Amino acid sequence: MKNLDPLKLYTDMLRIRFVEETISQEYSKQEMRCPVHLSIGQEAIPVGVSSRLTISDQIVSAHRSHAHYLAKGCDLKKMISELFGKVDGCCRGKGGSMHLFDLEGGQIAAVPIVGSSIPIGTGVALGLKRQKKPGIVVIYLGEGATEEGVFSESLDFAKLQNLPVLFVCENNLYSVYTPLGSRQDSKRSIIDIAKAHGISAISGDGNDVIEVQKLTSNAIIEINTHSTPFLLELSTYRWLEHCGPNFDDHLKYRQDGELSNWMERCPIKKLKLHLEKNHLINNRIENKIIEKIKLEISEAFEHARKSSFPDPTELFLHVYAPREIE
Amino acid sequence: MSRELSYTEAILEATDQALHEDSKVMLLGLGVPDPKGIFGTTLGLQEKYGEDRVFDTPTAENGVTGVAIGAALTGMRPIITHQRVEFSLLGIEQLINQAAKWFYMTGGKASVPLVVRSIIGRGWGQGPQHSQSLESWFAHVPGLKVIMPSNPYDAKGLLTAAVRDNNPVVMLEHRWLHNTFGPVPEGNYEIQIGKAKIAQKGDDITIVSYSYMMVEALRCASILAKCGINAEVIDLRSIRPLDESTILKSVSKTGRLLTIDNGWSKYGIGSEIVSLVAEKRLKFLKSPPIRVGPNDVPIPSTRALANLVYPSTYEILKSVEKSLGKELLGMNWDNLPKVEDTPDKTFQGPF
Ligand SMILES: Cc1ncc(C[n+]2csc(CCOP(=O)(O)OP(=O)(O)O)c2C)c(N)n1
Ligand SMILES: [Mg+2]
């Protein structure tokens, strides 16, 4: 959260990478029995965006939400327990990986029905504004989600009501196995769609965390000074399969060399070069960072493993909210 | 009829033959030509029939449903696919307000020959938004037909009939059936929509089910047989139109009724059947009808709770006991299969 220190950005990206890699490695043990949409390769966007957010800002995510959740400062232990289906998970095990949420951390929703998070996030902003509560709302969406009708409906609504929304489109070129070219005309510009709704928009390199941070800073200034929504379209790439722990390049839905090119453009590697050039990192510092992250992760997994499953009586709990909610 | 196919292959073959037989048939949906081909049900079809007839779509279910309806109005016969029935809900307005009304609303002058294939998820922690069985939503609407085949033979025959039908037909496929095998004839054939099948004959109790729950129903029936109880098991095949006469005839004979729903029992298919029997055969009933189905809660992700949602063999057999009003003799209650979060050991997740 709100931090300009590039070493902190590095630490945050590395932490997400290691969490996702650990999930990927441990998945075959079949303790985490829920679909997982991993974010390896896409760490710079949430880390860059969240580095400019405060505790009163909220984020809304979709199916691929681990990185958003962690970058915002939501609880790692509760996330891993949720993946294990345990009662101390962030949704008491009822949601799984696709429904991570942490009110204290500021991830108010993660919605795996593509596009459905966009109007919900817009509504969160409406609620904040009407109640004169501080903060902006970041709505993360894939480029696939811009194909759903609610995308433009929400843009229109957000602009009409001048809501404090930052739409962050993570354009990773694919919706499951279907490439962008089979879904959108090459002239269709997500930026222009936003602009056509009266919303300022800009695109950038989503694998460059410093750039993401700058773009986010400017966007937030615009949102706050002109009281208007803003859209960022950031290019990035998912390394692993759409859903699950493995690489799936053998399926050949991506062109030869495409993945390796993008792996060359690894956001973590890129920042490391920058840090080295400016003598902000050395082996000793890096090892210390890695050691700390690994310890935290192994503690979270150990914790999840030891936690209990929800009691059978929980099945019938929480279908309806009572008048008084604790 | 000795050749065996999987449910997946049966759907693929029916689609292939439909595309071959009628140049107006087209197949569209997100992922249709991708390397996984909607769990294998559309593999190779684009290569065979070309991109004009078999094609990918944007992630835009509402639009795609409406577009398919429009194309159908010009004489095309679209099949659209949804990897989960929940995604089809984005197009529910088009389906219910538009497609289902068209023939009636135009005084019989224009119809919408459309097939909407949607998959029902279950297990592996897919949770509240990817595991619902929503057949009663669709079945509620006059003008829609709803089919839910339980085996490869029915899948091929019902899908073939659906494509040839001049009405919008919703086909709901349970994900846990895709990898089940059974005999399927090579040529194309139709199974009449609206006609149930007596999957097993019996005199003691009528069990009505459909889709994946037929696997449970038949398993229970064979356990019951060992206890000397002969259940008549009806596989609905079609949810709407409902084959009322087959159900009524059976209940007249057995005097007992147990329904096993895939979706929630309340306001569900079982409820419709119990109402039908209450209205038309009340005096034949020897005991109150019983509805079994998933518990009346959203489907949680964690297997610790999700496994409690679905009807178990134990629960079904106990319901039979209740209906019969006597204990099942020689039952080994401890050895029954438990509810799992996977259909078989090879299944490692939903995609
Ligand atoms: C309404 C709806 N349609 C289809 C799906 C299946 N689905 C899950 S994630 C996904 C990909 C969406 O692509 P994008 O928004 O670009 O996100 P990415 O996976 O690339 O991060 C799809 C199609 C869904 N969950 N909801
Ligand atoms: Mg994408």
Side-chain angles (χ1 to χ4, degrees):
Chain A
M1 304 277 276
K2 219 158 186 176
N3 200 320
L4 287 171
D5 177 7
L7 203 58
K8 174 78 165 70
L9 298 179
Y10 187 71
T11 308
D12 287 354
M13 285 200 292
L14 213 53
R15 177 170 175 263
I16 293 170
R17 172 73 54 93
F18 284 164
V19 169
E20 296 288 67
E21 282 180 353
T22 312
I23 294 169
S24 165
Q25 285 152 16
E26 300 275 311
Y27 197 73
S28 62
K29 291 189 181 158
Q30 306 202 349
E31 296 165 312
M32 290 173 277
R33 292 165 88 95
C34 61
V36 288
H37 301 80
L38 302 182
S39 310
I40 295 179
Q42 304 192 189
E43 297 88 350
I45 297 172
V47 168
V49 168
S50 270
S51 71
R52 305 307 297 133
L53 299 181
T54 68
I55 191 71
S56 50
D57 297 325
Q58 313 265 349
I59 64 169
V60 173
S61 180
H63 54 286
R64 198 176 306 288
S65 78
H66 297 179
H68 304 151
Y69 174 99
L70 292 172
K72 184 66 172 65
C74 301
D75 192 292
L76 175 67
K77 277 192 175 138
K78 287 184 184 156
M79 167 177 151
I80 303 300
S81 281
E82 189 63 30
L83 268 56
F84 273 70
K86 298 298 177 73
V87 70
D88 55 357
C90 59
C91 299
R92 300 183 76 81
K94 283 176 167 167
S97 156
M98 295 194 286
H99 297 275
L100 296 184
F101 114 120
D102 178 348
L103 280 183
E104 282 149 41
Q107 177 151 312
I108 192 168
V111 176
I113 301 299
V114 171
S116 289
S117 55
I118 311 173
I120 292 174
T122 305
V124 172
L126 179 69
L128 293 181
K129 182 166 176 172
R130 288 289 190 271
Q131 296 171 80
K132 302 197 165 39
K133 289 188 178 169
I136 67 155
V137 179
V138 172
I139 303 175
Y140 289 106
L141 56 137
E143 88 295 338
T146 72
E147 292 152 20
E148 301 284 7
V150 281
F151 174 58
S152 30
E153 294 175 34
S154 305
L155 290 178
D156 187 33
F157 199 106
K159 182 64 186 87
L160 204 60
Q161 294 282 345
N162 282 319
L163 301 178
V165 179
L166 176 59
F167 297 94
V168 177
C169 178
E170 297 173 304
N171 188 340
N172 64 5
L173 305 172
Y174 290 86
S175 174
V176 193
Y177 304 108
T178 306
L180 193 53
S182 303
R183 299 180 284 118
Q184 302 182 22
D185 188 81
S186 60
K187 293 209 182 64
R188 183 187 193 262
S189 151
I190 291 166
I191 298 297
D192 287 346
I193 294 171
K195 288 181 183 161
H197 285 85
I199 294 176
S200 302
I202 192 164
S203 56
D205 180 354
N207 279 14
D208 181 342
V209 67
I210 308 264
E211 180 169 331
V212 174
Q213 187 176 57
K214 276 191 200 130
L215 292 173
T216 306
S217 285
N218 295 339
I220 292 177
I221 290 169
E222 175 112 358
I223 291 168
N224 288 333
T225 48
H226 301 294
S227 133
T228 178
F230 199 97
L231 182 141
L232 290 176
E233 182 197 2
L234 302 166
S235 57
T236 186
Y237 201 76
R238 140 174 83 69
W239 290 10
L240 301 185
E241 58 192 336
H242 164 70
C243 178
N246 303 310
F247 280 100
D248 68 349
D249 224 32
H250 62 280
L251 292 175
K252 299 279 177 214
Y253 65 100
R254 321 206 257 201
Q255 293 197 333
D256 267 351
E258 190 178 279
L259 173 63
S260 51
N261 280 343
W262 278 95
M263 287 175 80
E264 271 307 301
R265 293 175 57 186
C266 171
I268 296 176
K269 200 152 104 181
K270 188 172 179 117
L271 181 63
K272 190 171 173 186
L273 285 176
H274 170 85
L275 294 175
E276 283 169 349
K277 232 194 306 178
N278 295 285
H279 307 289
L280 293 167
I281 199 166
N282 57 34
N283 276 348
R284 197 183 49 83
I285 298 177
E286 181 166 36
N287 287 340
K288 248 173 102 177
I289 292 173
I290 291 175
E291 204 177 308
K292 201 167 149 230
I293 293 172
K294 292 214 157 153
L295 182 67
E296 188 201 3
I297 294 173
S298 70
E299 279 172 3
F301 274 78
E302 242 354 86
H303 171 83
R305 222 162 249 134
K306 286 204 191 107
S307 298
S308 335
F309 284 110
D311 187 82
T313 54
E314 295 240 350
L315 182 62
F316 298 98
L317 212 63
H318 306 134
V319 179
Y320 294 100
R323 275 295 169 90
E324 310 279 334
I325 304 177
E326 313 136 31
Chain B
M1 217 179 84
S2 58
R3 185 186 65 143
E4 296 236 323
L5 289 186
S6 70
Y7 193 92
T8 299
E9 291 163 336
I11 291 171
L12 176 62
E13 191 168 270
T15 313
D16 189 349
Q17 290 173 355
L19 283 158
H20 177 78
E21 157 182 289
D22 184 349
S23 63
K24 299 286 172 57
V25 174
M26 60 183 193
L27 172 65
L28 61 155
L30 184 68
V32 158
D34 81 22
K36 293 285 173 84
I38 318 291
F39 307 107
T41 61
T42 61
L43 281 179
L45 295 176
Q46 188 178 58
E47 291 77 358
K48 200 160 168 187
Y49 296 99
E51 293 181 13
D52 282 352
R53 299 187 61 202
V54 178
F55 52 98
D56 224 316
T57 67
T59 323
E61 293 79 2
N62 190 11
V64 167
T65 310
V67 167
I69 293 170
L73 289 174
T74 71
M76 300 298 291
R77 308 186 82 82
I79 305 171
I80 62 177
T81 60
H82 299 287
Q83 308 223 15
R84 285 290 176 278
V85 65
E86 284 87 347
F87 312 160
S88 80
L89 298 185
L90 274 69
I92 199 109
E93 189 285 325
Q94 290 288 345
L95 199 59
I96 287 172
N97 283 338
Q98 311 307 332
K101 305 297 185 290
W102 216 269
F103 193 63
Y104 190 81
M105 199 172 72
T106 60
K109 293 203 178 78
S111 69
V112 177
L114 165 70
V115 178
V116 182
R117 282 185 48 208
S118 294
I119 288 147
I120 298 165
R122 173 172 167 175
W124 203 265
Q126 292 174 77
Q129 300 183 9
H130 285 72
S131 322
Q132 298 169 93
S133 195
L134 298 173
E135 57 275 14
S136 57
W137 280 50
F138 302 103
H140 188 61
V141 181
L144 288 184
K145 296 186 179 182
V146 183
I147 55 177
M148 294 185 78
S150 71
N151 58 68
Y153 177 82
D154 289 2
K156 181 172 173 186
L158 282 168
L159 179 53
T160 303
V163 178
R164 293 176 186 170
D165 201 289
N166 281 325
N167 298 282
V169 180
V170 175
M171 167 151 152
L172 296 168
E173 301 158 26
H174 199 286
R175 180 73 182 99
W176 283 18
L177 290 171
H178 276 142
N179 205 25
T180 59
F181 288 77
V184 179
E186 284 176 28
N188 56 6
Y189 59 92
E190 281 187 47
I191 289 176
Q192 190 189 332
I193 297 176
K195 192 86 194 77
K197 180 178 97 174
I198 299 185
Q200 181 182 304
K201 278 200 164 309
D203 298 321
D204 296 330
I205 179 171
T206 300
I207 300 179
V208 184
S209 192
Y210 54 95
S211 187
Y212 182 72
M213 277 300 147
M214 272 303 295
V215 174
E216 277 296 340
L218 289 172
R219 179 172 26 229
C220 289
S222 66
I223 295 172
L224 287 169
K226 287 185 201 135
C227 307
I229 305 296
N230 295 316
E232 179 138 301
V233 184
I234 297 177
D235 182 349
L236 287 179
R237 289 176 160 174
S238 300
I239 305 299
R240 181 192 265 267
L242 187 66
D243 184 352
E244 300 189 357
S245 69
T246 298
I247 297 167
L248 293 174
K249 222 169 114 189
S250 177
V251 176
S252 308
K253 178 174 68 174
T254 64
R256 304 183 194 276
L257 173 65
L258 172 73
T259 62
I260 312 176
D261 271 304
N262 255 282
W264 295 295
S265 292
K266 287 189 181 159
Y267 312 94
I269 308 309
S271 304
E272 183 59 31
I273 291 165
V274 170
S275 306
L276 170 78
V277 169
E279 281 175 354
K280 301 198 173 161
R281 291 293 185 279
L282 189 59
K283 61 178 185 302
F284 287 79
L285 286 174
K286 299 175 194 155
S287 64
I290 298 177
R291 292 170 300 163
V292 172
N295 273 308
D296 197 28
V297 297
I299 318 295
S301 173
T302 177
R303 60 193 174 286
L305 299 179
N307 289 354
L308 303 174
V309 166
Y310 295 99
S312 61
T313 310
Y314 177 86
E315 183 189 347
I316 296 168
L317 291 171
K318 278 288 169 194
S319 304
V320 172
E321 260 192 349
K322 194 170 161 202
S323 173
L324 296 171
K326 61 176 186 195
E327 274 182 26
L328 292 173
L329 292 176
M331 259 305 292
N332 183 353
W333 291 103
D334 301 328
N335 249 347
L336 298 173
K338 300 255 177 317
V339 175
E340 303 277 356
D341 69 340
T342 56
D344 56 65
K345 291 272 171 282
T346 62
F347 190 92
Q348 300 207 351
F351 274 93

